[in-house]
């Protein structure tokens, strides 16, 4: 919707009829033109022509994908020559934790079944995910539906993109997530971001020094400050990792 508001001709795809109905309602109510399709990406992408300038995929999508080699191959195929694939995801390390405890495998597409289902992370994130105004809905929501997730590490993701023939242009790692409070003890930062508490980070940096590092590792001094405390850095948050398909040679 944001891209459509900027003038892009947008097609949004999701397997969930509920999600698509919500997107359509939002488009009608705001008058922002965008098309939405209920489909499984694995079925829909092979039916498309290579007609897209940009493929954009954000937070919380990759963990549902059982085969990222097939996914990125299909995404690369629908791009026009010179088109770009832009992604912004939770860091795979962050996805290893549950309630602050190391719980899940890191990589290889390990299948993770979550018996307790997806929690109400939108409510937990308050105004960060509802900037136009948070309205409290159901309290104490418990999801009865188990989840099937897949753990993809950084090399899995970058490798799948490269094997799909995409050219790596930009990869960035951020010390916060935009909008979503994925762990209960994350602290809200300016700009609707959530980051680990500075105190916890300070402890881990001190532990690193006690373990014999004479100097903090490059960048670690920045990690020990409250995240994004410098408003001059905020523009960096909107530079997601980007891949592009090389121009096709005829
Ligand atoms: C956490 S949400 C991501 C939301 C996304 N960042 C956005 O802003 O719309 C994950 C979405 O992926 C969708 N999904 C999961 N597997 C899918 C698939 N195979 N094909 C299409 N959509 C899928 C789910 O229905 C869900 O709406």
């Amino acid at each position: 919707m944001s891209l459509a508001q900027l003038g892009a001709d947008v097609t949004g795809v999701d397997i969930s009829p509920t999600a698509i109905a919500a997107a359509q309602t939002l488009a009608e109510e705001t008058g922002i033109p965008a098309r939405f399709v209920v489909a499984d990406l694995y079925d829909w992408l092979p039916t498309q022509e290579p007609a897209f300038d940009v493929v954009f995929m954000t937070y919380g999508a990759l963990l549902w994908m059982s085969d990222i080699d097939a996914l990125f191959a299909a995404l690369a195929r629908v791009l026009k020559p010179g088109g770009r694939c832009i992604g912004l995801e939770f860091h795979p390390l962050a996805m290893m934790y549950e309630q602050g405890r190391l719980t899940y495998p890191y990589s290889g597409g390990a299948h993770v079944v979550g018996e307790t289902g997806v929690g109400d992370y939108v409510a937990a994130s308050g105004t960060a995910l509802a900037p136009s105004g948070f309205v409290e809905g159901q309290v104490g929501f418990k999801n009865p539906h188990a989840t099937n997730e897949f753990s993809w590490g950084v090399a899995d993701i970058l490798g799948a993109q490269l094997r799909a023939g995409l050219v790596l242009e930009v990869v960035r790692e951020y010390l916060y997530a935009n909008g979503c409070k994925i762990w209960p003890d994350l602290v809200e930062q300016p700009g609707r971001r959530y980051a680990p508490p500075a105190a916890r980070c300070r402890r881990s940096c001190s532990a690193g020094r006690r373990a014999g590092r004479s100097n903090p590792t490059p960048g670690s001094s920045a990690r020990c400050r409250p995240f994004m405390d410098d408003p001059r850095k905020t523009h960096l948050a909107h530079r997601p990792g980007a891949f592009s398909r090389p121009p096709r040679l005829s």
Side-chain angles (χ1 to χ4, degrees):
M1 296 288 290
S2 301
L3 294 173
Q5 198 170 22
L6 291 171
D9 177 10
V10 172
T11 305
V13 185
D14 199 293
I15 200 171
S16 158
T18 310
I20 291 298
Q24 272 160 345
T25 304
L26 196 57
E28 279 156 27
E29 287 176 357
T30 57
I32 298 172
R35 269 181 310 284
F36 295 100
V37 180
V38 179
D40 185 330
L41 279 177
Y42 287 105
D43 298 332
W44 186 81
L45 286 167
T47 68
Q48 299 303 300
E49 296 297 320
F52 291 87
D53 297 301
V54 175
V55 167
F56 182 60
M57 213 170 161
T58 62
Y59 287 122
L62 275 184
L63 79 169
W64 304 115
M65 301 296 148
S66 55
D67 182 345
I68 53 171
D69 269 345
L71 176 76
F72 283 107
L75 290 177
R77 200 194 59 78
V78 302
L79 288 173
K80 284 180 190 168
R84 298 166 75 81
C85 176
I86 300 175
L88 178 63
E89 256 304 348
F90 296 116
H91 198 288
L93 275 182
M95 304 317 283
M96 296 173 74
Y97 287 85
E98 178 79 56
Q99 308 286 331
R101 290 173 60 103
L102 193 54
T103 307
Y104 300 113
Y106 174 68
S107 65
H111 184 188
V112 176
V113 178
E115 298 299 341
T116 53
V118 178
D120 192 354
Y121 60 87
V122 177
S125 304
T127 52
L129 270 183
S132 54
F134 178 75
V135 178
E136 189 162 277
Q138 189 177 346
V139 176
F141 170 76
K142 297 252 185 290
N143 190 335
H145 303 289
T147 54
N148 287 276
E149 300 178 24
F150 302 89
S151 295
W152 299 113
V154 171
D156 295 324
I157 298 165
L158 299 185
Q161 291 163 332
L162 293 172
R163 284 188 291 278
L166 295 165
V167 175
L168 179 57
E169 288 184 353
V170 183
V171 180
R172 293 182 198 275
E173 291 181 302
Y174 299 102
L175 302 170
Y176 52 79
N178 287 319
C180 193
K181 192 172 186 182
I182 52 170
W183 303 327
D185 62 342
L186 294 187
V187 178
E188 189 164 0
Q189 307 292 321
R192 302 196 291 116
R193 293 177 182 137
Y194 281 101
R200 193 169 76 200
C201 180
R202 265 191 217 105
R203 273 201 302 279
S204 53
C205 289
S206 319
R209 278 194 284 277
R210 273 202 303 279
R213 270 185 233 136
S214 53
N215 291 310
T217 47
S220 67
S221 60
R223 284 191 195 106
C224 289
R225 282 190 228 113
F227 296 100
M228 300 313 295
D229 54 350
D230 180 349
R232 288 167 304 180
K233 294 184 206 150
T234 55
H235 68 283
L236 295 176
H238 300 289
R239 299 285 307 279
F243 287 80
S244 71
R245 184 175 176 177
R248 190 179 286 147
L249 299 175
S250 51

